[in-house]
Amino acid sequence: MSYLLLKDLFKRHGECMNTAVSVAGWVRTLRVSKNLGFIELNDGSFFSGVQIVFQDTLSNFEAVSKLGTGSAIAVTGTVVASPGKEQSFEIAATAIEIVGACDSDYPLQKKRHSFEYLRTIAHLRPRSNTFSAVFRVRSLLAHAIHSFFQDRGFVYVHTPIITGSDCEGAGEMFRVTTLDPKSPPLTEEGKVDFSKDFFGKETNLTVSGQLAVENFCMAFRDVYTFGPTFRAENSNTTRHASEFWMIEPEIAFAGIEEDMRLAEDMTKFIIRFVLERAPEEMKFFNAMIDKGLLERLEQVASSDFGRVTYTDAIDLLKKSGKTFDYPIEWGSDLQTEHERYLTEEVFKKPVFVIDYPKEIKAFYMRQNDDGKTVAAMDMLVPGIGELIGGSQREERHDRLLRRIEELGLKKEDYWWYLDIRRFGGCPHAGFGLGFERAVMYLTGMTNIRDVQPFPRTPKNAEF
RNA sequence: UCCUCGUUAGCUCAGUCGGUAGAGCGGGUGGCUGUUAACCACUAGAUCGACAGUUCAAGUCUGUCACGAGGAGCCA
């Protein structure tokens, strides 16, 4: 049993004209009158479906006429020119096999459903136009990211999902344990005795692969991680999920300049990659989800990104004469409204903001000579604000140690991270990109729950 | 976690001044020879999120809770 994929039929329908084909897929809509009917069939290989025309000469015309949306069928027929306005060709069926009937309470209708409702039927929503497009683009984007880094010789590092390090410092973690929650073994002080736990110590799901990947960077030079990360934060927003994927490249013998060039090149590459390989899906998003999407992406892919220091950015915002909901002051972090103003109004293209005050950035970022700022960079893009955050890392052992102590962190927790500064340390830099945020940026979708196949958010792990 | 809004048929929603429930789509039945979210006719389908309270009377007013959405904080 072998069926022609609709992807291939659409690619070469000219040469298929007037030949016999067999296709298999799911009924999207069905319209029937006394002696003939029309089925829109989608087989998942292509965004568009093909129209099947069937006559009452079919042996099972009655049964086929009663099929509901969602049914799985296999069709044999002839590719013919279509007299209809909405398609240039169609398949005149000679036989239709009902592979899997669909109960009449199938929840997906021909009309538009709310995204909110579709989230409650996450097992069925990939059959809808929007989610079909979203998840094909998500898949392509993952491919694009691997292609970009692999083509440049980066080594893909699988950093651990379960981590014994409680110092990743990026947020609340999910504990991993096999201890009995009702009566865990206790120490003499009455605390939970994790030495009796599976790993002999407290373990959690990772919140970031960065610290681990820095170690491999000191061996392979250019590396990246791309995998799931977990945050047990009770945040209920359109941009946060408890489980999400992150891309974290790290480059050795390189500083913040090389880091920005890498971020810019990667951004342009993945945009072009997806525009080339999913033109139907991208046109759909531009028409149905976000009217300015294609124009914005084309512009980003073809412009040279701007550069501005945090200090200059603050001046630009102050001089803008625009009133913001949040005050602008040196030392406080840029709000989304500030970021968007900079990239959309001032620069009118993506822009890197560099050299942030050290107080508002992470301990591992390289301290600048002014004693006030660190070599951090945020890449701001029109439409959403910050898309990428990165930095040159502090490679000087004494400086890093002092910063750890200043912030009251426990240096014992960082022994291996500090070690790589003693054993052949060198300047290095990297950045982090939330994969879902990249999917949202490329599709125009505005809720992270709608770009993950089965999203995990506070109080929700149904599927 | 905080603020705001919401929860009525399978779905999307309407429901006036407090007086006992409506539409479209979907489902079912029938009709129709070229449809494009087909069309036409008929039909079934509702503990109005839950629990209290006010009232002769609550989908409608009040309180609590649950769930959802948007925004904020935090961040990716």
Side-chain angles (χ1 to χ4, degrees):
Chain A
M1 193 162 47
S2 129
Y3 299 104
L4 180 64
L5 294 179
L6 293 192
K7 175 185 62 173
D8 297 322
L9 176 60
F10 273 87
K11 209 186 293 169
R12 357 180 285 258
H13 66 269
E15 55 193 273
C16 291
M17 201 57 78
N18 299 314
T19 64
V21 296
S22 289
V23 297
W26 294 272
V27 173
R28 280 290 179 83
T29 80
L30 184 146
R31 298 173 288 276
V32 66
S33 52
K34 193 177 182 185
N35 301 318
L36 89 166
F38 303 90
I39 294 171
E40 191 195 326
L41 187 78
N42 189 292
D43 78 344
S45 71
F46 194 65
F47 182 65
S48 304
V50 68
Q51 176 161 282
I52 310 292
V53 187
F54 62 100
Q55 311 272 349
D56 60 357
T57 47
L58 279 188
S59 59
N60 56 351
F61 180 81
E62 275 291 304
V64 170
S65 299
K66 289 196 157 70
L67 283 175
T69 303
S71 308
I73 59 172
V75 178
T76 300
T78 310
V79 180
V80 295
S82 175
K85 286 177 187 157
E86 306 288 320
Q87 61 281 319
S88 63
F89 67 94
E90 62 195 16
I91 296 175
T94 51
I96 295 180
E97 179 198 349
I98 298 169
V99 178
C102 188
D103 287 351
S104 64
D105 59 348
Y106 184 63
L108 281 177
Q109 296 176 18
K110 299 173 197 180
K111 66 169 188 161
R112 197 186 178 93
H113 290 288
S114 66
F115 289 151
E116 192 181 328
Y117 170 66
L118 289 168
R119 277 172 218 148
T120 68
I121 49 167
H123 58 313
L124 300 172
R125 67 176 180 167
R127 302 186 193 191
S128 67
N129 283 335
T130 300
F131 288 96
S132 157
V134 164
F135 293 121
R136 195 186 310 279
V137 166
R138 184 180 166 112
S139 166
L140 273 174
L141 190 56
H143 184 183
I145 281 156
H146 281 300
S147 290
F148 176 81
F149 289 114
Q150 294 283 342
D151 288 354
R152 282 159 188 74
F154 281 60
V155 169
Y156 177 31
V157 183
H158 295 103
T159 52
I161 308 291
I162 299 172
T163 173
S165 155
D166 60 356
C167 55
E168 288 172 342
E172 290 296 310
M173 294 191 278
F174 288 101
R175 176 165 293 161
V176 175
T177 180
T178 55
L179 296 178
D180 181 356
K182 275 187 192 153
S183 57
L186 300 176
T187 61
E188 285 175 10
E189 297 91 53
K191 292 182 177 164
V192 176
D193 185 1
F194 287 104
S195 71
K196 300 262 174 31
D197 204 349
F198 189 89
F199 294 104
K201 64 180 295 192
E202 269 193 82
T203 50
N204 295 285
L205 294 179
T206 184
V207 294
S208 160
Q210 186 201 312
L211 301 192
V213 90
E214 277 188 51
N215 296 273
F216 270 65
C217 180
M218 294 296 108
F220 289 101
R221 185 168 178 141
D222 294 335
V223 296
Y224 69 109
T225 74
F226 179 19
T229 51
F230 307 86
R231 303 281 166 88
E233 305 280 3
N234 187 16
S235 54
N236 298 286
T237 80
T238 54
R239 294 188 179 187
H240 294 82
S242 310
E243 176 181 316
F244 64 99
W245 282 52
M246 202 153 45
I247 299 128
E248 293 170 295
E250 194 74 25
I251 50 179
F253 300 104
I256 189 118
E257 276 302 321
E258 290 78 11
D259 202 29
M260 286 189 281
R261 208 172 307 142
L262 184 69
E264 178 171 342
D265 289 348
M266 186 201 73
T267 304
K268 290 174 174 173
F269 180 91
I270 61 177
I271 289 173
R272 290 202 188 100
F273 192 99
V274 171
L275 286 176
E276 257 169 47
R277 302 205 189 193
E280 290 82 11
E281 283 81 357
M282 296 307 289
K283 263 179 236 148
F284 173 82
F285 290 126
N286 194 59
M288 307 301 287
I289 305 291
D290 180 352
K291 299 274 185 261
L293 180 68
L294 287 180
E295 192 188 349
R296 199 166 62 236
L297 291 176
E298 301 278 6
Q299 195 240 337
V300 167
S302 59
S303 61
D304 286 323
F305 293 12
R307 307 280 157 96
V308 66
T309 64
Y310 169 88
T311 304
D312 289 347
I314 294 292
D315 282 345
L316 285 170
L317 289 167
K318 278 187 173 164
K319 284 185 199 144
S320 72
K322 195 173 152 60
T323 49
F324 295 102
D325 292 341
Y326 286 83
I328 306 135
E329 206 172 329
W330 199 98
S332 59
D333 210 354
L334 297 177
Q335 298 293 321
T336 301
E337 57 172 345
H338 305 143
E339 294 176 339
R340 290 187 59 166
Y341 181 80
L342 284 170
T343 182
E344 289 167 12
E345 306 291 328
V346 180
F347 287 86
K348 298 188 195 304
K349 61 181 183 181
V351 59
F352 289 101
V353 180
I354 62 171
D355 297 336
Y356 280 81
K358 64 179 179 184
E359 284 77 17
I360 57 173
K361 289 292 180 183
F363 77 93
Y364 51 73
M365 295 188 178
R366 193 178 196 276
Q367 296 156 57
N368 288 328
D369 293 339
D370 61 13
K372 294 188 297 189
T373 62
V374 290
M377 63 94 167
D378 281 359
M379 192 186 88
L380 314 181
V381 294
I384 57 171
E386 183 188 336
L387 189 61
I388 286 175
S391 70
Q392 184 169 343
R393 318 307 189 188
E394 183 55 81
E395 84 281 9
R396 295 161 298 188
H397 186 270
D398 57 329
R399 295 287 203 100
L400 182 61
L401 187 59
R402 205 182 313 151
R403 192 76 186 122
I404 285 174
E405 285 166 345
E406 272 173 20
L407 291 170
L409 303 169
K410 287 186 287 183
K411 65 180 181 190
E412 308 82 63
D413 290 344
Y414 298 89
W415 70 270
W416 49 270
Y417 189 70
L418 283 159
D419 259 10
I420 57 170
R421 272 73 183 168
R422 298 167 53 224
F423 303 142
C426 76
H428 61 292
F431 63 79
L433 167 64
F435 182 57
E436 281 77 6
R437 292 197 180 168
V439 178
M440 289 164 75
Y441 184 60
L442 279 163
T443 58
M445 297 293 286
T446 54
N447 193 317
I448 196 168
R449 300 171 185 94
D450 296 330
V451 300
Q452 295 188 313
F454 299 103
R456 274 86 181 89
T457 50
K459 296 217 161 85
N460 178 22
E462 177 66 25
F463 293 91

